[in-house]
């Protein structure tokens, strides 16, 4: 399995959630946008991934804190794609 396919499989597991608790699984279009960002930056922040998907205004990621435990740095998505 290539690094790109591995990253795509990881992105497919991400679940978006809105303020009312409604879940949304990423569509092919969302996945392609996030994968394009991963190709530019091998470890983008979850914040940038959310914006790249086009769902940043209404949704966040379910079960993923956007910040590190100390609250000072953005948590990174480890894509495995070399930029």
């Amino acid at each position: 399995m290539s690094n790109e396919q591995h990253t795509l499989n990881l992105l497919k597991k991400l679940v978006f959630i809105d303020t009312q608790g409604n879940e949304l699984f990423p569509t092919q279009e969302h996945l392609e946008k996030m994968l394009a960002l991963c190709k530019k930056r091998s470890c983008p922040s979850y914040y940038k991934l959310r914006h790249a998907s086009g769902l940043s205004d209404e949704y966040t990621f379910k079960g993923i804190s956007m910040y590190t435990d100390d609250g000072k740095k953005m948590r990174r998505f480890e894509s495995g794609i070399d930029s």
Side-chain angles (χ1 to χ4, degrees), residues 19-54:
T19 55
Q20 283 95 33
N22 300 319
E23 294 181 0
L24 174 74
F25 292 92
T27 64
Q28 190 62 34
E29 180 182 348
H30 299 137
L31 291 171
E32 289 171 5
K33 289 178 181 179
M34 291 188 290
L35 187 60
L37 176 64
C38 290
K39 288 179 181 177
K40 281 181 162 177
R41 300 172 179 225
S42 62
C43 295
S45 67
Y46 280 100
Y47 179 82
K48 290 199 184 263
L49 261 186
R50 187 181 69 173
H51 276 275
S53 72

